[in-house]
Amino acid sequence: MCGVTCQLRTVGPGMSTLCVLRTRCFLRQVLPGLPAAMHRHYSLDVSAPLLRTQGYVDGRWVSAASVFPVLDPATGKEIARVSDCGPAEAKQAVDAAYKAFHSWKQCTAKERSILLRKWFDLLTLHKEDLAKLITFESGKPMRESLAEITYSASFLEWFSEEARRVYGDIVPSPAKDRKILLLKQPAGVASIITPWNFPSAMITRKVGAALAAGCTVVVKPAEDTPLSALALAELAEQAGIPAGVFNVVPCSREKTPAVGEVLCTDPLVAKISFTGSTTTGKLLLKMAADTVKKATMELGGHAPFIVFDSADVDKAVAGAMASKFRNSGQTCVCSNRFLVQSGIHDRFMEKLGKAMDAELRVGHGSEPDTTQGPLINTRAAEKVVQQVSDAVSRGAKVLKGGKRLDGSFMEPTLLANVTTDMLCMKEETFGPLLPVIRFNTEEEALAIANASNVGLAGYCYSQDVSQIWRVMEALEVGIVGVNEGLLSTPEAMFGGVKQSGLGCEGSKYGIKEYLEVKYVCFGGLKP
């Protein structure tokens, strides 16, 4: 039922000359500054074993009754057709995971560690092909896709080591005839629901911890980016992960609600972990409440980026570029609200504008000099356009960009004269829009930064140590970058406060999300 379409290669026996000409015309309109790109024919060329289009349940590749298309967001062309799994396949995956859990949890921590390490080695070995999958299904520039695979693999490496550090406790007893033991045990089957913006790393960050703890998983990848998840399943199988321990049920947008309901309500599921919007996270929590499941939620952000007068301007500009324009602004810890103090504001804006001109290149992600790929779909581009239009109507000035290009491409945009009543200051953008507010005092900046119902990440640039300490403690977020725009690493925890989520991922704390603590009172002992 499922297979790769003829359009896996932009030029081939299955693609007409007219289609090629249309693609060239599209790219001319989108990439006017990259004439060399007009002569390129974009093709997804990866080794056959990694290009999977069926679901993966109980160690088997399974077809569904129908398929759904996966599109290259840069060209709008279909690159594959994938099994459109529904509630029946989701239930089969849950059952398989539950069955496998009883044997997987009996494996020693060292055995689980060795298998996770083998999986890590395979990701590293196949990083080029895995990065190509990310670029073609999400639009991410190839250099960022390669970085994501390194990041994705690092979670398997980290949790392969953490698997052997799940320690219980022996607590001093108040009575001489008993001992108090606290055991750490795996929670059970975990439903893993992941987004499209990091289609590999968001899976391994969750699954690495789950498998290390002794849990089994069912992964529901985003409908835009199922190929990366299925490639991970192929490599998990090659690594020797037993059947039923790691399952993947891809599905279309239309079937997502029904599949999500199974994964959040089935009594055999003990835990759900979700990365995505706050709105969707609330719906999943409501569904999981009836069976009182453990839940980890990594939800929306609206990160403030504060530049104080004492900041090193060059470092602040570099941090802003890295934090805002990575993945074309489509990350949950992207800076959304830029607050620059009056004394440094004009210099910062001048240097930032020059950096945008010098460093940002819009194009297809497979082009080596591309730094800004497309947004994931046209709806995402429309949202950015709406925020720009709203800001301009309220007095903002467009200093760079501001225009939507063809398809889902958007010009990187810099706004000045921004005020707090503008839409871009009230809701997450998820696009290459950089709005700047001028402020006068530290208190004013903190009031603006904390005026949000979400709190995932925040950034501040200053060389005043006392100020750094005050701001770091006062920011109502779970993650703070001080003089640094890129924060994520497997060694550090990742999580937010307010409506940005529950629990955390990564670090030594991430594995605890998949563990239960059991108290054992061992009595009747002779003193």
Side-chain angles (χ1 to χ4, degrees):
M1 296 291 300
C2 302
V4 180
T5 71
C6 64
Q7 290 163 323
L8 273 172
R9 292 184 176 274
T10 309
V11 177
M15 190 172 189
S16 68
T17 303
L18 178 61
C19 188
V20 174
L21 291 174
R22 284 176 176 168
T23 300
R24 287 177 179 167
C25 180
F26 171 83
L27 289 171
R28 284 193 189 99
Q29 296 172 31
V30 173
L31 311 174
L34 297 175
M38 301 312 101
H39 308 291
R40 292 290 302 275
H41 307 310
Y42 301 104
S43 61
L44 174 56
D45 184 15
V46 301
S47 60
L50 291 180
L51 191 55
R52 292 287 187 172
T53 57
Q54 296 170 292
Y56 186 70
V57 177
D58 202 16
R60 296 177 294 108
W61 295 101
V62 299
S63 296
S66 60
V67 296
F68 68 99
V70 180
L71 307 179
D72 177 351
T75 64
K77 300 299 179 184
E78 183 178 299
I79 57 174
R81 293 180 181 176
V82 174
S83 289
D84 194 2
C85 296
E89 289 81 11
K91 176 58 178 171
Q92 291 169 12
V94 170
D95 290 344
Y98 186 74
K99 179 181 177 182
F101 172 64
H102 295 288
S103 55
W104 181 246
K105 69 178 180 179
Q106 296 300 327
C107 292
T108 66
K110 183 176 182 179
E111 289 170 336
R112 295 196 295 269
S113 172
I114 290 171
L115 290 175
L116 285 170
R117 178 69 197 202
K118 288 181 179 177
W119 199 7
F120 159 78
D121 290 336
L122 287 168
L123 261 70
T124 304
L125 179 65
H126 294 285
K127 63 182 180 181
E128 292 283 344
D129 280 348
L130 295 171
K132 289 177 185 177
L133 288 174
I134 292 174
T135 289
F136 273 82
E137 66 179 348
S138 76
K140 187 175 293 189
M142 189 65 180
R143 69 182 74 177
E144 290 190 22
S145 296
L146 285 166
E148 179 179 344
I149 294 303
T150 299
Y151 183 50
S152 176
S154 72
F155 285 107
L156 298 180
E157 179 184 41
W158 172 260
F159 285 114
S160 73
E161 297 162 351
E162 285 299 292
R164 301 181 69 177
R165 302 191 191 106
V166 178
Y167 304 133
D169 296 291
I170 298 177
V171 180
S173 171
K176 295 180 179 180
D177 64 344
R178 66 194 65 183
K179 298 293 183 183
I180 296 174
L181 290 76
L182 302 179
L183 308 181
K184 304 279 184 67
Q185 295 183 313
V189 176
S191 292
I192 307 295
I193 304 174
T194 57
W196 49 263
N197 59 337
F198 287 88
S200 181
M202 293 304 94
I203 293 175
T204 58
R205 189 164 74 184
K206 300 170 187 294
V207 171
L211 268 57
C215 296
T216 55
V217 301
V218 179
V219 177
K220 206 294 287 183
E223 62 272 13
D224 296 298
T225 56
L227 301 180
S228 293
L230 296 171
L232 287 175
E234 169 64 29
L235 294 181
E237 186 175 271
Q238 292 183 24
I241 304 292
V245 172
F246 182 74
N247 305 274
V248 182
V249 285
C251 67
S252 63
R253 184 180 301 275
E254 292 72 24
K255 289 189 178 179
T256 290
V259 170
E261 184 175 359
V262 171
L263 298 183
C264 292
T265 62
D266 193 296
L268 300 183
V269 173
K271 159 85 180 180
I272 60 172
S273 181
F274 170 72
T275 294
S277 72
T278 299
T279 300
T280 302
K282 290 177 180 180
L283 293 174
L284 300 183
L285 282 170
K286 288 178 181 178
M287 287 193 285
D290 283 344
T291 45
V292 196
K293 300 185 190 307
K294 290 172 68 73
T296 300
M297 294 277 146
E298 196 265 281
L299 307 177
H302 196 31
F305 188 102
I306 308 173
V307 184
F308 291 100
D309 282 344
S310 68
D312 181 314
V313 178
D314 292 330
K315 289 182 178 178
V317 167
M321 293 289 291
S323 175
K324 176 71 265 183
F325 294 113
R326 183 170 60 123
N327 197 18
S328 299
Q330 299 173 112
T331 81
C332 51
V333 291
C334 263
S335 298
N336 272 268
R337 299 171 292 154
F338 288 77
L339 290 72
V340 183
Q341 199 160 13
S342 297
I344 207 172
H345 177 274
D346 292 348
R347 276 197 297 147
F348 176 85
M349 297 296 280
E350 180 184 0
K351 291 192 173 189
L352 179 60
K354 289 179 179 179
M356 290 176 65
D357 288 339
E359 299 175 24
L360 301 182
R361 295 290 181 272
V362 176
H364 193 286
S366 63
E367 291 288 349
D369 54 354
T370 292
T371 66
Q372 300 293 286
L375 301 189
I376 190 63
N377 52 42
T378 56
R379 295 187 306 278
E382 289 164 1
K383 181 179 181 180
V384 180
V385 170
Q386 181 187 14
Q387 289 194 357
V388 173
S389 299
D390 172 80
V392 170
S393 72
R394 297 173 185 272
K397 182 179 180 181
V398 177
L399 299 185
K400 298 290 177 182
K403 297 178 182 177
R404 178 180 172 183
L405 303 172
D406 276 18
S408 58
F409 282 90
M410 183 74 197
E411 284 185 332
T413 300
L414 175 61
L415 296 181
N417 301 336
V418 174
T419 55
T420 57
D421 62 335
M422 295 175 184
L423 198 57
C424 60
M425 297 299 290
K426 296 179 180 179
E427 63 178 34
E428 189 174 24
T429 302
F430 243 61
L433 171 60
L434 199 160
V436 180
I437 283 185
R438 183 196 297 259
F439 73 90
N440 294 311
T441 68
E442 179 181 315
E443 292 75 18
E444 179 188 358
L446 286 170
I448 295 171
N450 290 335
S452 175
N453 61 2
V454 294
L456 184 55
Y459 305 82
C460 73
Y461 277 73
S462 171
Q463 296 185 82
D464 180 335
V465 175
S466 296
Q467 182 178 64
I468 288 171
W469 198 262
R470 291 192 304 270
V471 173
M472 176 186 68
E473 289 192 326
L475 281 174
E476 296 172 358
V477 296
I479 306 167
V480 179
V482 177
N483 297 327
E484 180 56 59
L486 295 177
L487 309 176
S488 300
T489 178
E491 293 83 2
M493 85 92 199
F494 191 101
V497 298
K498 298 182 176 178
Q499 294 186 35
S500 281
L502 301 170
C504 67
E505 296 180 337
S507 78
K508 67 178 183 179
Y509 299 106
I511 198 169
K512 294 181 180 179
E513 300 286 332
Y514 296 89
L515 294 168
E516 301 281 11
V517 180
K518 178 183 287 183
Y519 162 42
V520 177
C521 181
F522 194 159
L525 302 176
K526 295 181 180 179

